[in-house]
Amino acid sequence: MPSDLLATPDLLRSVFRRHAAGVAVITARGDTGPVGFTATSLASVSAEPPLLSFGVGTGSSSWPAIAATDHVGVHILGEHQQDLAATFARNGADRFGPPTVWREGPEGVPLLDGVLAWLVARVVARVPAGDHRLVLAEVLHGDPTGTGRPLLYHQGRFQRLPD
């Protein structure tokens, strides 16, 4: 078998660059303030009970808060929010400083304004998955009434749906 077909981190990244994914921001209340990160691993798991999942790197600055919290916020970003997605993806960024607009939501979770939809969910499990944890959470609250079209991530860049 050619070496370029063997499973490596680069192979996995190359294949998933071809997979278009919706863009979400996950938030939580940390010991020193709100934390959050951009995620493309968000998935619906179950309708009854309403469960979702996302992955988080154990080396990320948000992991300690996600590891300790009982509740998370999940925000579906619109195509107008590329800058917000980039801010929450960048290491060392002041993610909750201006121009980010947010408020405290149910269960004390930081909620971002202007998103297409948001959910607040109770963490029910953190499953080891290599250098990440797969977080399973039960949806408690939400609002699907934001307007606009979803932001996508494809080929290593934020993208818009074609007209």
Side-chain angles (χ1 to χ4, degrees), residues 82-152:
Q82 289 185 22
D83 290 343
L84 183 67
T87 296
F88 276 83
R90 192 170 39 252
N91 288 333
D94 181 5
R95 296 173 178 158
F96 289 89
T100 302
V101 180
W102 65 281
R103 67 192 184 285
E104 186 173 302
E107 311 300 337
V109 171
L111 291 181
L112 303 174
D113 286 350
V115 297
L116 296 186
W118 61 262
L119 298 167
V120 170
R122 180 179 58 83
V123 175
V124 297
R126 295 171 187 86
V127 180
D131 61 357
H132 279 61
R133 293 297 180 270
L134 181 64
V135 177
L136 294 171
E138 183 177 6
V139 176
L140 303 176
H141 309 279
D143 182 355
T145 61
T147 59
R149 294 161 44 117
L151 180 61
L152 300 178

Side-chain angles (χ1 to χ4, degrees), residues 60-100:
S60 76
S61 61
S62 297
W63 170 242
I66 299 296
T69 193
D70 291 330
H71 297 89
V72 294
V74 177
H75 308 81
I76 307 300
L77 299 191
E79 64 185 4
H80 63 286
Q81 295 178 303
Q82 289 185 22
D83 290 343
L84 183 67
T87 296
F88 276 83
R90 192 170 39 252
N91 288 333
D94 181 5
R95 296 173 178 158
F96 289 89
T100 302

Side-chain angles (χ1 to χ4, degrees), residues 19-34:
H19 174 71
V23 181
V25 168
I26 309 299
T27 60
R29 185 177 52 204
D31 288 341
T32 60

